[in-house]
Amino acid sequence: MRLSVIIPCFNEAETIEAVVMRVLSVDLPATWEREVIIVDDGSQLPTKDALARIESAGHPVRVVYRELNGGKGAAVKDGLRAANGDYIIIQDADLEYRPEEYGLLLAPLDQSSDVSVFGSRSNSMNNVPYSRVYFYGGLLVTHIYNILFRTKLSDIASCYKLFSVRHVPILLESSHDDFVFDAVDLTHALVQAGPIVEVPITYTARSKKTGKKLNWTHGLDIVLAIVLTRLGVPSRSLSAVARVMRFIISGGLAAVVNLVLLYVFTDIFGIWYLISAALSFILAFFVSFTLQKYWAFRSSDKDRIAAQLPMHLGVAVTNMGVNIALIYCFVEIAGMHYL
């Protein structure tokens, strides 16, 4: 039996060589051999130099280069296309997971070749989460998935998922190219295909300062993808539908903030409703701008805020003028409640 180890890699110059050496040094069961596929997801020069050193050293490793960064899901899918093994496991290019535990993941296959195996960080007692927000966020998205799909998984966002190559065709239909592919699309495809066995694994989280790429927007994306999957949106359409939903949700949340603040300023603080309308609109604008920039449109470049904010603010001031004029007409002329 052959195990294909896919290592998606994006700007991991500090750790990729160590990870590869540990993967190659793992003692697999006697009936197993391995192939190692690194997918460079448009990394910068230091990482490419590290990969060149790996290749020049003659290690039994294949490197697939992507010209542009497409996201973890895109890199994994390129690895799936290149894999020739009977079973596949995904290995992050950092040092959060321990390749020495592959044996724990392979063991359930001795009982049944039809199962997929998940390495659960939640079932292990010696894990080191760097942030309670991310730790409990991972538990939350897992609980949401369990509730909606009536499963009993403990860690859907775990990197370590071992599965048969026969699942590859359905996985390549996914429209997600980011972390959602790993957490939701891969999980759901394997859940639908057959039984899942979970084994406890060791996990040592790194911080943002040391290269952690996951952030709060990925958590929102994962929850949205879970809900859309439960509603029956096809995997190949999930990404497009999710983009529309992110836009609608961002605007909807800003509208809720606007109305709540309008009520608070007017009824609790006793401010004249038109002044309250202006204040609440301005504060809701910043909520809208943040969600639209970082979540709906994925514009993570902070340097562009100086150019983007005035343009958005210019539009918002026009909208605010229209908003206040309409409120005045509805209240003073039509006799409606200010909300």
Side-chain angles (χ1 to χ4, degrees):
M1 300 287 282
R2 174 179 289 184
L3 176 65
S4 294
V5 182
I6 297 174
I7 309 178
C9 177
F10 176 60
N11 292 339
E12 299 290 0
E14 299 295 324
T15 57
I16 182 61
E17 292 174 273
V19 168
V20 169
M21 294 310 298
R22 287 174 64 175
V23 169
L24 293 174
S25 300
V26 171
D27 290 327
L28 297 179
T31 57
W32 286 85
E33 60 181 36
R34 88 202 76 195
E35 71 168 356
V36 180
I37 303 169
I38 305 171
V39 183
D40 177 64
D41 193 21
S43 297
Q44 295 175 358
L45 188 58
T47 299
K48 293 188 184 299
D49 288 342
L51 294 175
R53 288 193 295 270
I54 292 172
E55 291 183 291
S56 63
H59 296 304
V61 172
R62 278 189 291 158
V63 182
V64 177
Y65 289 95
R66 293 176 52 84
E67 184 176 349
L68 300 175
N69 176 250
K72 183 178 181 180
V76 170
K77 283 187 276 190
D78 276 2
L80 294 176
R81 293 183 183 99
N84 295 312
D86 301 290
Y87 285 85
I88 295 168
I89 191 169
I90 301 166
Q91 170 70 54
D92 279 350
D94 52 39
L95 296 173
E96 292 185 327
Y97 294 83
R98 300 183 70 243
E100 294 79 10
E101 295 181 331
Y102 287 172
L104 298 175
L105 294 143
L106 291 171
L109 298 180
D110 292 336
Q111 306 299 320
S112 173
S113 60
D114 293 330
V115 301
S116 298
V117 185
F118 287 12
S120 173
R121 300 166 295 177
S122 302
N123 289 342
S124 182
M125 297 300 293
N126 57 348
N127 292 326
V128 187
Y130 88 92
S131 167
R132 286 187 175 89
V133 173
Y134 286 92
F135 177 72
Y136 289 110
L139 293 180
L140 176 62
V141 298
T142 298
H143 286 315
I144 292 172
Y145 184 89
N146 286 336
I147 291 171
L148 292 182
F149 292 99
R150 298 181 181 179
T151 53
K152 295 182 179 179
L153 300 174
S154 64
D155 188 8
I156 69 168
S158 173
C159 168
Y160 274 177
K161 296 181 175 79
L162 176 69
F163 54 94
S164 170
V165 69
R166 69 176 181 271
H167 302 308
V168 168
I170 188 68
L171 293 174
L172 293 179
E173 292 183 5
S174 166
S175 61
H176 284 116
D177 287 335
D178 54 10
F179 286 98
V180 174
F181 172 85
D182 194 25
V184 182
D185 296 348
L186 178 54
T187 296
H188 192 62
L190 299 181
V191 166
Q192 296 295 103
I196 304 292
V197 175
E198 290 188 299
V199 297
I201 59 170
T202 306
Y203 176 74
T204 305
R206 60 178 177 170
S207 66
K208 286 285 187 184
K209 186 177 295 186
T210 55
K212 189 75 171 179
K213 298 179 177 70
L214 203 66
N215 59 49
W216 61 272
T217 64
H218 296 120
L220 295 178
D221 286 339
I222 289 170
V223 171
L224 181 57
I226 292 172
V227 173
L228 292 178
T229 300
R230 186 64 186 91
L231 292 174
V233 178
S235 179
R236 60 182 177 274
S237 304
L238 271 176
S239 182
V241 175
R243 281 196 297 271
V244 175
M245 293 303 299
R246 286 197 301 267
F247 183 79
I248 293 173
I249 291 171
S250 297
L253 287 175
V256 170
V257 169
N258 191 3
L259 289 174
V260 169
L261 290 176
L262 176 58
Y263 172 81
V264 170
F265 289 148
T266 304
D267 273 44
I268 297 180
F269 291 104
I271 301 174
W272 185 37
Y273 75 93
L274 287 183
I275 295 178
S276 296
L279 292 174
S280 60
F281 192 96
I282 291 171
L283 293 174
F285 160 77
F286 286 102
V287 173
S288 174
F289 177 79
T290 301
L291 288 172
Q292 298 284 6
K293 175 177 174 60
Y294 291 106
W295 189 41
F297 294 104
R298 306 300 177 84
S299 176
S300 59
D301 187 356
K302 295 180 180 179
D303 295 336
R304 296 186 63 193
I305 291 180
Q308 293 170 335
L309 191 57
M311 290 190 292
H312 283 262
L313 194 57
V315 174
V317 168
T318 302
N319 289 342
M320 183 174 67
V322 173
N323 184 52
I324 293 174
L326 288 173
I327 291 176
Y328 177 83
C329 291
F330 288 143
V331 173
E332 301 297 335
I333 299 175
M336 299 171 65
H337 190 273
Y338 71 91
L339 283 180

